[in-house]
């Protein structure tokens, strides 16, 4: 989870590079949790472009060793977690690669309520960004990137509407909480993850095979992990991206 705990620097796994549409995510039910494209009704999933947005408007990913427990009712939102690692939006200028692990500074968080589940969005910046030193809390984002946070709320509010779903809701009237609050949320989801991998909490179908937590009943040695990787089917040629993935959707905001 931490890249440098003393400095409050976290690791982020990039699932979706900025401007892309493929809905890639950590496959929590697969051994070693690889990144895979989500599938719905037999079709690969792509996020729709709701004008004026194109694809994801940040590098999107997750903080490792976190878990939003669906049975844990969040005192701030009144809902259980979404059963996934905690989500992260990197606002840095670099477009990252899928699967890249970057070091990030936490700046704040947004509490999305997604179909009755708590789905925290942690706002961060890559420590290697040329302007990283200028960003230390959520107020710096408001000051230095006008309308970026408002656009982030708009993106999360409306991105499922083209699929026929209602607008998403938020806790705290869609206001962002600061760095200190966000770090406490991360620590809470880390504790939930630790309970998961030490089998103090039932994770259902989640595959907890890991190479880092030695007191976990799911711990596996590096050679066992290598066997799992080698047993996976080889990658085939990439599917052609459907032409309608570039379509823009327009509708009146509520």
């Amino acid at each position: 989870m931490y890249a440098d705990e003393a400095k409050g620097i976290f690791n982020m796994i990039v699932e979706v590079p900025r401007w892309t549409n493929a809905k890639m995510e950590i496959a929590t039910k697969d051994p070693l949790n690889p990144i895979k494209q989500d599938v719905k009704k037999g079709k690969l999933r792509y996020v729709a472009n709701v004008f004026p947005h194109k694809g994801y408007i940040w590098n999107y990913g997750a903080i490792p060793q976190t878990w939003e427990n669906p049975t844990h009712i969040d005192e701030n939102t009144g809902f259980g977690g979404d059963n996934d690692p905690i989500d992260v939006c990197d606002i840095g200028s670099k477009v990252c690669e899928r699967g890249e692990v970057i070091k990030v500074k936490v700046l704040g968080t947004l509490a999305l309520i997604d179909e009755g589940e708590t789905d925290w969005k942690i706002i961060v910046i890559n420590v290697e960004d040329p302007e990283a030193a200028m960003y230390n809390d959520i107020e710096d984002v408001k000051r230095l990137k006008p309308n970026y946070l408002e656009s982030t709320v708009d993106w999360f509010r409306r991105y499922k509407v083209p699929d026929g779903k209602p607008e998403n809701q938020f806790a705290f009237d869609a206001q962002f909480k600061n760095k200190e609050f966000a770090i406490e949320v991360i620590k809470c989801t880390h504790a939930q993850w630790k309970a998961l991998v030490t089998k103090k909490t039932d994770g259902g179908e989640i595959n907890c095979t890991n190479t880092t937590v030695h007191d976990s009943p799911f711990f596996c040695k590096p050679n066992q992990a290598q066997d799992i990787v080698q047993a996976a089917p080889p990658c085939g040629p990439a599917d052609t991206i459907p032409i309608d993935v570039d379509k823009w959707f327009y509708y009146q905001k509520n």
Side-chain angles (χ1 to χ4, degrees):
M1 181 175 78
Y2 284 106
D4 188 330
E5 185 172 0
K7 294 181 179 180
I9 305 299
F10 292 82
N11 286 310
M12 171 187 173
I13 301 169
V14 178
E15 298 168 309
V16 186
R18 190 169 73 240
W19 309 139
T20 64
N21 295 75
K23 196 173 188 310
M24 310 294 292
E25 56 187 24
I26 293 171
T28 58
K29 297 178 183 178
D30 291 6
L32 301 180
N33 307 144
I35 295 174
K36 295 171 63 175
Q37 189 166 0
D38 194 22
V39 176
K40 187 173 184 179
K41 296 181 180 179
K43 294 184 178 180
L44 295 173
R45 288 188 67 188
Y46 296 88
V47 70
N49 305 303
V50 179
F51 186 84
H53 310 302
K54 171 63 178 77
Y56 288 72
I57 61 173
W58 347 255
N59 294 304
Y60 191 71
I63 293 178
Q65 298 186 342
T66 61
W67 177 52
E68 296 194 65
N69 184 350
T71 66
H72 172 79
I73 304 303
D74 192 291
E75 64 180 5
N76 298 291
T77 67
F79 294 94
D82 71 346
N83 205 31
D84 281 321
I86 199 165
D87 295 323
V88 185
C89 303
D90 163 44
I91 66 169
S93 58
K94 176 187 175 183
V95 177
C96 295
E97 297 289 333
R98 182 173 296 116
E100 188 175 352
V101 178
I102 62 174
K103 298 175 182 179
V104 297
K105 295 167 63 175
V106 171
L107 304 174
T109 189
L110 177 68
L112 173 67
I113 309 300
D114 190 347
E115 299 184 38
E117 297 176 334
T118 301
D119 192 4
W120 291 102
K121 306 299 180 184
I122 307 296
I123 307 301
V124 305
I125 189 166
N126 189 336
V127 297
E128 296 183 358
D129 190 273
E131 298 181 346
M134 301 168 61
Y135 293 85
N136 295 293
D137 213 320
I138 201 68
E139 292 299 324
D140 297 322
V141 185
K142 295 177 183 178
R143 178 171 54 89
L144 297 170
K145 291 183 182 287
N147 296 318
Y148 199 178
L149 295 180
E150 292 84 350
S151 294
T152 293
V153 171
D154 183 64
W155 195 98
F156 282 118
R157 188 188 302 279
R158 301 192 293 147
Y159 81 102
K160 289 187 176 181
V161 171
D163 296 328
K165 295 184 178 181
E167 292 184 350
N168 280 323
Q169 304 300 313
F170 304 87
F172 307 113
D173 294 323
Q175 297 299 306
F176 287 80
K177 305 300 284 185
N178 65 14
K179 174 181 181 176
E180 181 181 4
F181 188 99
I183 289 177
E184 289 304 311
V185 170
I186 296 169
K187 288 179 178 178
C188 181
T189 60
H190 176 65
Q192 292 168 27
W193 168 84
K194 192 65 182 293
L196 174 69
V197 297
T198 54
K199 216 171 183 178
K200 294 176 182 176
T201 297
D202 181 14
E205 296 181 345
I206 293 178
N207 191 305
C208 297
T209 303
N210 69 88
T211 61
T212 58
V213 186
H214 291 266
D215 60 343
S216 167
F218 307 104
F219 175 77
C220 74
K221 296 179 179 179
N223 63 307
Q224 295 172 309
Q226 186 65 33
D227 289 342
I228 292 172
V229 173
Q230 291 178 345
C235 291
D239 280 1
T240 301
I241 297 177
I243 192 169
D244 61 357
V245 169
D246 289 328
K247 179 181 178 180
W248 249 331
F249 289 85
Y250 300 82
Y251 82 102
Q252 184 67 40
K253 295 182 183 180
N254 293 333

